[in-house]
Amino acid sequence: MLTDADYSGNASGARRSKKRSSGDSPGDGQSVRSSGRQCKRKATDTEEEDEQSEKKYRKCEKAGCSATYPVCFASSNERCAKNGYTSRWYHLSCGEHFCNECFDHYYRSHKDGYEIYASWKKVWTSNGKSEPSLKAFMADQQLPFWVQCTKPDCRKWRQLTKEIQLTPNMAMSYRCGVKFNNAKIEGSDQCSQPEDLRVAEVIDSWWHSMLILPPLLKDSPASPFLAAYYPDCVGMSPSSCPSSMAELRGQHCKTTQPQTLTSVPFPPAVPGLSPYFQPFYQPNECGKALCVRPDMMELDELYEFPEFSRDPTMYLALRNLILAAWHRDCKEVLTPQKCAPHIIVRGLVRVRCVQEMDRVLHFMTRKGLINTGVLAVSQPLLPERYRSKNVIVIGAGASGLAAARQLQNFGTQVVVLEARERIGGRVWDDASLGVTVGRGAQIVNGCVNNPIALMCEQMGIKMHRLGERCDLFQEGGHMTDTAIDKRMEFHFNAILDVVSEWRKDKTQNQDAPLGEKVQEVYKNFLQESGIQFSDLEEKVMQFHLSNLEYACGSTLDQVSARSWDHNEFFAQFSGDHTLLTRGYSALLLKLAEGLDIRTKCAVQSIDYSGDVIKVTSSKGSQWTAHKVLVTVPLTLLQKNLIQFYPPLPERKLKALNSLGAGIIEKIALQFPYRFWDKKVQGADYFGHIPPSPDQRGMFGVFYDLDPQGKQSVLMSVITGDAVPFVREMGEQDVVSECMKVLRQLFKEQEVPEPVNYFVTQWSKDVWSQMSYSFVKTGGSGEAYDIIAEDVQGKLFFAGEATNRHFPQTVTGAYLSGVREASKMAAV
């Protein structure tokens, strides 16, 4: 029997040549023939000279490799070829090779390095998904680290000796000539030493294409976020995967899927991180707004970085690192200098990763994925090529302020023109009742990844989590049995499910009013099932219909049955619904800090016919800009309050008129004491069952606006057909109607007169005339996208009515501003 040590001469060459296709074989045909000639006949002097010449000048066999004289970086044993002859050079990059002798040192079972390789291979196989080849081992364990001098006037890259393990702290503080054992400087002028010539090649595009293996980062800040993924599928090294991550995958995974493992029931908790920060999808997780797949590039990423489409590993490694670092500290600007020390990977590819970091970070900043919110910056976040010369933003609501803040942070000169005397638009907080009450928006619907939650984190504002309990009270004071409420809620949702089935094969021309379809389905169900609902059950159904009108901001006879919930086809914000006890204004005032905002400047016309856009106010003042962002409410565009020259495209005008301007109103009442506490028992809100269908929408839900229970303020909403009913009433009359309802709901006790109150009049507000948009019958969700389209790269549009994914919300308005800032920086 032969052992590994018995294979020699031609036998060794034959054995190795069979395995050559694996890419890890230690020999090749030429070396076999060469050794064969030496064994069979005595070489002449000339042949000996030729042989010496062949040894001295053997090149890397990788086609296109620029290394004429490779040098072995491994030096793993005394037989290492170093910069001499070897039977084969193994290529990792154009500047990094190892020799056949060092290959054998780890690959052969009788060699000293074999156990090291086998041990690494076991860890890699248990944690990773990629092939644990010897080349991967060399790249992961044997290549030397490269580090950049931190002196501003040097910044040269230096290769560390193989024994030195790079750490983020070392990368942040390294200076040329540092001795790591005692932190002394080897020489006073080490920075004057020239940089290795191989570094200059790394920046060239061809260098990346000649890279054999993608970089896999060690100890990435993204690791705790991505415990449920194979690390090498998300740009991280399996050899540095903590055992806890492998255990987590083992606990929650029964089978494996391509690129990921099966789903975990919850995202991994990252110590010290806000529970609302979940930037990465977990495997097989359902849609969640503003999440990214850590193992895949998004379409806009592929468009921006086409060179990574074939192998996205480097991009994913950098993007995931950046996202994780931002969510760990969103209160400070994330810079390339902060990220680069955390790129821990061996070899020259670290130089390339640090170079690419700038591009990736600038892209993510421009997109508003990082360095966003109420962040204050001391210098522009983007290079000059991304900055517009100057921009005018019309409207200082959530969308206008978001865009202006982003653009100014990018380095663009911005002026905001606002018709009102105040900023905020449809965000308007009132503190006259002893607590902050939003005359407009005040609730955050779904906090996970919501930019509102991000801004609250940046400002140290706590949101109040709204509980789920909402007891329904009847006029007369009785509380509705929860079983009846659940039963009718089930039937209500079943009706909407039937409407959803009906619309599947319907075109826009076949649309119908939502109210009409709901009544039709409801009537058919009662006829076919023979079920008869009690009088109370019918009233509970009316309560749920009232809630639907609240969600749409309109009576149901105006709303499209085909597209009423068009945005539900996109991933929505999940998690807690919260009340901003300090109001949205606290966030918008912070967004507005340092911006050039001109209030009481109502824009009358926009002339974009020339290279420079002219904006004229109703008082005759004029401004010029290269780009203009329009963020006024939908109603004002529908009523042509701003004249455009030339007129807006017909396609956009049609889309504008296919949406409806929904209206809800609010009433807030301050009482001398909390008369409702005993009955409501700490719930954040309670419901009012309408006594008849024609009273649906009159104060359907009452919110307790002081979760601490110190102040005595209730707020309620007026929706649907009740809106035009109260529009012509005086404020005192509306309060009287509301008090009648409260005294019926709390009939068993005395309900005191309010000491203060207010009633909103959004329908009469000259600069809004609406609350939020909805899709009218015959319309489509595509209208939101069409309204959002820019005109000639000069005129841009933002606002909740331009956000197809998140309309009707402050979040949607804010994100539309971020979106347009990104577009304006790219055009």
Side-chain angles (χ1 to χ4, degrees):
M1 174 182 279
L2 295 173
T3 65
D4 281 346
D6 294 319
Y7 285 92
S8 60
N10 286 333
S12 174
R15 179 172 181 258
R16 289 196 295 263
S17 63
K18 286 180 182 177
K19 289 176 63 63
R20 191 176 173 201
S21 61
S22 70
D24 276 347
S25 61
D28 59 26
Q30 188 173 355
S31 63
V32 172
R33 290 193 296 275
S34 176
S35 60
R37 286 200 303 274
Q38 291 176 58
C39 294
K40 289 181 180 178
R41 62 190 178 89
K42 184 178 180 179
T44 64
D45 290 344
T46 305
E47 287 170 331
E48 284 177 2
E49 288 173 8
D50 290 344
E51 195 67 37
Q52 291 297 323
S53 176
E54 183 183 355
K55 287 180 182 179
K56 185 176 181 182
Y57 296 113
R58 175 168 302 276
K59 297 192 295 185
C60 173
E61 297 173 1
K62 173 72 175 173
C65 178
S66 60
T68 307
Y69 307 109
V71 179
C72 182
F73 64 78
S75 298
S76 56
N77 63 87
E78 67 280 357
R79 295 186 62 200
C80 173
K82 298 196 170 32
N83 62 345
Y85 174 83
T86 184
S87 58
R88 178 179 177 186
W89 286 109
Y90 291 85
H91 175 105
L92 291 182
S93 78
C94 285
E96 295 161 325
H97 301 79
F98 60 97
C99 68
N100 201 53
E101 287 68 30
C102 287
F103 182 105
D104 273 356
H105 177 74
Y106 293 106
Y107 192 73
R108 300 295 177 199
S109 59
H110 62 282
K111 297 285 187 179
D112 292 343
Y114 179 78
E115 288 301 322
I116 298 171
Y117 173 50
S119 176
W120 169 88
K121 197 173 181 179
K122 185 177 180 181
V123 173
W124 190 280
T125 304
S126 63
N127 288 331
K129 198 170 173 65
S130 56
E131 179 66 29
S133 65
L134 194 86
K135 283 187 177 180
F137 166 76
M138 287 295 203
D140 189 68
Q141 297 290 309
Q142 299 300 310
L143 273 174
F145 283 105
W146 288 76
V147 66
Q148 192 172 25
C149 180
T150 55
K151 288 184 182 178
D153 56 347
C154 178
R155 308 296 292 162
K156 290 174 184 171
W157 285 92
R158 305 300 187 191
Q159 179 179 303
L160 302 179
T161 56
K162 201 170 72 168
E163 295 73 30
I164 297 174
Q165 297 288 321
L166 183 64
T167 65
N169 285 338
M170 188 189 301
M172 278 187 267
S173 59
Y174 175 79
R175 295 197 167 195
C176 293
V178 168
K179 277 186 175 179
F180 292 103
N181 55 352
N182 57 14
K184 289 183 179 177
I185 306 296
E186 290 179 345
S188 60
D189 195 24
Q190 291 295 311
C191 288
S192 65
Q193 298 297 315
E195 188 174 60
D196 192 304
L197 293 174
R198 290 175 292 170
V199 174
E201 289 185 332
V202 174
I203 191 62
D204 292 327
S205 58
W206 61 266
W207 189 92
H208 181 246
S209 66
M210 296 293 290
L211 196 63
I212 292 299
L213 297 165
L216 296 174
L217 308 187
K218 294 177 182 288
D219 304 318
S220 169
S223 297
F225 292 85
L226 304 176
Y229 283 86
Y230 288 112
D232 43 346
C233 290
V234 291
M236 300 187 299
S237 169
S239 69
S240 64
C241 174
S243 58
S244 58
M245 290 173 67
E247 288 169 10
L248 181 65
R249 287 198 298 273
Q251 289 169 8
H252 299 299
C253 306
K254 296 178 181 179
T255 60
T256 58
Q257 299 288 341
Q259 289 204 315
T260 65
L261 302 177
T262 52
S263 60
V264 293
F266 50 83
V270 180
L273 195 76
S274 164
Y276 298 140
F277 291 179
Q278 297 173 25
F280 302 106
Y281 272 119
Q282 297 307 301
N284 292 354
E285 191 174 37
C286 292
K288 195 161 62 177
L290 302 194
C291 254
V292 299
R293 280 281 300 269
D295 56 343
M296 285 179 63
M297 292 177 72
E298 309 267 332
L299 286 176
D300 55 349
E301 293 174 314
L302 287 165
Y303 180 81
E304 190 83 9
F305 301 94
E307 68 272 26
F308 291 113
S309 59
R310 194 167 144 270
D311 185 350
T313 308
M314 182 187 292
Y315 179 83
L316 295 174
L318 297 177
R319 178 251 266 160
N320 294 344
L321 183 157
I322 290 169
L323 267 183
W326 166 246
H327 284 89
R328 282 175 176 272
D329 182 10
C330 62
K331 296 178 182 178
E332 300 288 337
V333 174
L334 188 64
T335 63
Q337 292 72 31
K338 288 183 181 178
C339 292
H342 295 281
I343 301 174
I344 305 298
V345 63
R346 292 178 180 272
L348 283 165
V349 74
R350 180 168 189 269
V351 180
R352 183 59 176 249
C353 285
V354 170
Q355 291 166 345
E356 293 289 351
M357 173 67 72
D358 280 39
R359 289 179 62 215
V360 179
L361 194 137
H362 287 149
F363 168 75
M364 295 176 72
T365 296
R366 178 166 63 81
K367 284 289 186 178
L369 298 170
I370 62 168
N371 292 334
T372 188
V374 296
L375 208 61
V377 306
S378 56
Q379 56 187 26
L381 296 178
L382 295 182
E384 196 164 346
R385 66 180 181 275
Y386 291 110
R387 303 176 209 163
S388 302
K389 290 181 181 177
N390 66 326
V391 169
I392 290 174
V393 175
I394 300 171
S399 57
L401 293 174
R405 164 61 57 204
Q406 290 286 103
L407 288 166
Q408 183 158 298
N409 285 357
F410 294 168
T412 296
Q413 183 184 339
V414 186
V415 173
V416 182
L417 305 179
E418 168 56 52
R420 303 176 190 271
E421 294 183 355
R422 61 173 178 83
I423 67 165
R426 283 168 277 175
V427 167
W428 184 16
D429 292 332
D430 190 315
S432 64
L433 308 187
V435 296
T436 299
V437 182
R439 286 175 172 264
Q442 192 171 6
I443 292 172
V444 184
N445 293 307
C447 287
V448 172
N449 296 333
N450 197 310
I452 305 303
L454 171 79
M455 289 188 276
C456 286
E457 182 77 8
Q458 289 173 325
M459 293 179 65
I461 292 175
K462 289 188 176 179
M463 299 182 286
H464 171 69
R465 178 181 172 274
L466 292 171
E468 294 182 5
R469 185 162 65 88
C470 180
D471 295 330
L472 302 185
F473 297 113
Q474 306 159 38
E475 298 204 353
H478 299 294
M479 190 174 83
T480 305
D481 186 340
T482 53
I484 292 176
D485 182 18
K486 286 181 180 177
R487 183 187 183 202
M488 297 316 295
E489 185 178 19
F490 169 82
H491 285 291
F492 170 73
N493 288 324
I495 290 168
L496 294 180
D497 287 342
V498 174
V499 175
S500 294
E501 282 297 315
W502 165 84
R503 69 185 176 194
K504 280 182 178 178
D505 61 347
K506 298 297 183 292
T507 64
Q508 270 182 256
N509 293 333
Q510 296 171 306
D511 199 2
L514 179 59
E516 180 183 299
K517 287 307 298 181
V518 165
Q519 287 303 317
E520 179 186 313
V521 170
Y522 187 44
K523 185 179 177 182
N524 289 343
F525 168 75
L526 293 178
Q527 287 178 346
E528 292 172 10
S529 66
I531 290 176
Q532 283 191 326
F533 291 128
S534 68
D535 182 53
L536 176 58
E537 287 171 328
E538 288 283 3
K539 290 175 181 177
V540 173
M541 178 65 78
Q542 292 298 317
F543 169 81
H544 288 295
L545 289 170
S546 175
N547 254 348
L548 183 58
E549 290 179 323
Y550 181 15
C552 295
S554 170
T555 55
L556 300 183
D557 61 343
Q558 299 291 315
V559 180
S560 164
R562 184 175 170 271
S563 301
W564 73 274
D565 61 344
H566 62 97
N567 59 312
E568 292 298 321
F569 296 104
F570 306 106
Q572 296 296 299
F573 292 103
S574 59
D576 297 336
H577 297 318
T578 59
L579 177 74
L580 289 178
T581 52
R582 286 178 55 184
Y584 273 104
S585 291
L587 306 181
L588 298 196
L589 286 169
K590 190 69 176 176
L591 269 181
E593 276 185 14
L595 295 177
D596 183 356
I597 303 174
R598 318 282 177 88
T599 54
K600 295 187 281 187
C601 284
V603 171
Q604 189 174 55
S605 66
I606 301 173
D607 184 345
Y608 63 99
S609 58
D611 292 336
V612 175
I613 305 170
K614 296 175 184 175
V615 177
T616 307
S617 77
S618 57
K619 295 178 181 177
S621 302
Q622 196 169 83
W623 295 266
T624 59
H626 289 83
K627 293 172 185 174
V628 170
L629 174 63
V630 179
T631 73
V632 301
L634 174 72
T635 325
L636 306 192
L637 291 174
Q638 289 175 334
K639 295 183 177 181
N640 301 315
L641 258 67
I642 297 176
Q643 298 296 313
F644 292 92
Y645 303 101
L648 294 177
E650 189 62 35
R651 164 184 167 86
K652 189 179 287 287
L653 293 173
K654 185 178 178 183
L656 283 167
N657 290 302
S658 71
L659 296 184
I663 297 174
I664 65 161
E665 301 292 0
K666 288 185 170 185
I667 181 171
L669 305 160
Q670 181 185 15
F671 294 94
Y673 57 89
R674 299 170 61 85
F675 65 86
W676 59 89
D677 267 354
K678 185 177 179 182
K679 192 166 184 176
V680 174
Q681 297 180 332
D684 289 306
Y685 34 68
F686 56 90
H688 159 221
I689 300 294
S692 62
D694 62 341
Q695 290 177 280
R696 186 174 87 196
M698 289 289 280
F699 324 113
V701 179
F702 286 88
Y703 295 82
D704 182 346
L705 288 189
D706 185 16
Q708 303 302 319
K710 295 176 182 177
Q711 300 294 325
S712 311
V713 179
L714 291 177
M715 182 273 288
S716 190
V717 290
I718 301 160
T719 63
D721 282 324
V723 172
F725 176 73
V726 302
R727 183 179 298 153
E728 305 308 320
M729 294 170 64
E731 191 173 51
Q732 180 60 59
D733 294 333
V734 179
V735 172
S736 296
E737 289 296 321
C738 188
M739 290 306 299
K740 287 179 187 175
V741 170
L742 283 172
R743 288 187 170 118
Q744 279 293 322
L745 300 186
F746 295 87
K747 199 167 186 177
E748 70 285 355
Q749 65 186 77
E750 183 183 345
V751 176
E753 283 294 315
V755 295
N756 206 349
Y757 55 80
F758 68 73
V759 179
T760 63
Q761 293 284 352
W762 287 106
S763 60
K764 295 179 181 179
D765 184 296
V766 67
W767 299 118
S768 60
Q769 303 180 38
M770 65 178 294
S771 297
Y772 41 77
S773 61
F774 65 92
V775 180
K776 291 196 294 192
T777 306
S780 131
E782 187 187 5
Y784 287 90
D785 287 339
I786 296 171
I787 297 170
E789 292 171 355
D790 65 271
V791 180
Q792 299 177 13
K794 301 177 188 176
L795 212 53
F796 298 80
F797 294 83
E800 60 86 18
T802 72
N803 195 324
R804 186 176 187 176
H805 290 228
F806 314 112
Q808 306 176 325
T809 61
V810 178
T811 297
Y814 172 86
L815 286 171
S816 73
V818 172
R819 177 198 71 214
E820 294 308 300
S822 175
K823 281 165 63 175
M824 285 187 278
V827 173

